[in-house]
Amino acid sequence: MMTTYNFSAGPGVLPEAVITQIKQEFEKNEHTHMSIVEISHRSQQFQTIVANAEQKLRQLMQIPDNYGVVFLQGGGSTQFEMLPLNFATKQQKIAFLDSGNFAAKAGEAAQQLGKSVTVLASTKPTHYQSLPALPQDFDATAYDYLHIVTNNTIEGATFHQNNLPKTTGRLVADMSSNILAEPYQVTDFDAIFAGGQKNLGPAGVTVAIIKKDWLAEQDLTGVGPMMRYQNHIDKQSMYNTSPVFAIYALDLVLDWVIAQGGVAAMHERNLAKANRLYDYLDQSGFYTAPVEKSARSLTNIVFTTGDLARDKLIAKQAETQGLFNLAGHRSVGGFRASLYNAQPMAAVDALITFLKKVEAEQA
Ligand SMILES: *Cc1c(COP(=O)(O)O)cnc(C)c1O
């Protein structure tokens, strides 16, 4: 059988070892007499899984005790609404840096909830190929918080820890596509969220990391119970029926990350993978990687031949070589190779071999 690689941006590739373990454990557990998808979210077995997953995430990201960690449903998109509902309660004003589609979408969601949304800067006119800068005269006191997307999954620009906007106010980050892929200082943020399906596990679970004293300051009159972070924190992510399977799988992924050496080791590997691909693209006369170098994503590598119709054909051709899901997001076209934690270096090598062959044939 041909070795195949999945470059999908999400749901994305999971560690092979985790898939194997899920297969092995999927049948009836000899103690509970049930499989993982049949157990109660109130069972001791599941409570232990949730507690362990939380503890492992705290360890991996060095999350202090004054932050709550919860596993929610509804994806990253529901966080676009929960955050404004829980935190834009005083001035009802949110500042955004428009670094890509998912920043813009979060802004639209907040606006529809009746919050005032200010886009401080946008790189949309230049196709989001660089990062918007926080204006010099930004007055953090005029807003409840500043919302950023650390890694722009579609367009491929990243606020790495060393180029985060420096605000004196509250900072909220959407880390959906690079959580645990590179180090971030959790204490630089007041809230962090990430949909599970990019780098943490399967779809169906979303992680939220919330600074508790900030939450305690809020007047949540009119906010329904499911939308309140506090309810999920108080009930250890079991306020209602939890996404049992997704959290179980996420817990296994966290075990895997720890066994690999944690976030620092993942970062080192991700740098090596991404640099190998960018280096090839940069010296190529056929492909270009358009994102500004200092902002380049480690997890979503965007490139093009400059001819979108040709890109499409090449992405299709790649499938015959076992390289799947290389087409860029439908809104931008071109190519996108997602190199999440679980993507092996062998995938990058296979991709480069293929791209070189195409270049030799078509350039
Ligand atoms: C995928 C993604 C989302 C949306 O996640 P859903 O789970 O589909 O709602 C939001 N933000 C970023 C950065 C993403 O990559």
Side-chain angles (χ1 to χ4, degrees), residues 24 27 42 47 70 77 81 125 203 206 226 228 293 309 319 362:
Q24 284 167 354
E27 292 187 20
R42 307 280 177 213
Q47 289 185 30
V70 283
S77 303
E81 300 184 29
T206 301
M226 273 298 284
R228 295 182 182 218
K293 284 189 178 171
E319 292 183 6
Q362 299 193 22

Side-chain angles (χ1 to χ4, degrees), residues 230-252:
Q230 195 62 56
N231 285 338
H232 297 281
I233 292 172
D234 290 345
K235 300 291 182 187
Q236 285 88 39
S237 304
M238 291 169 267
Y239 178 72
N240 70 321
T241 309
S242 319
V244 172
F245 176 77
I247 294 175
Y248 153 79
L250 175 143
D251 181 52
L252 298 183

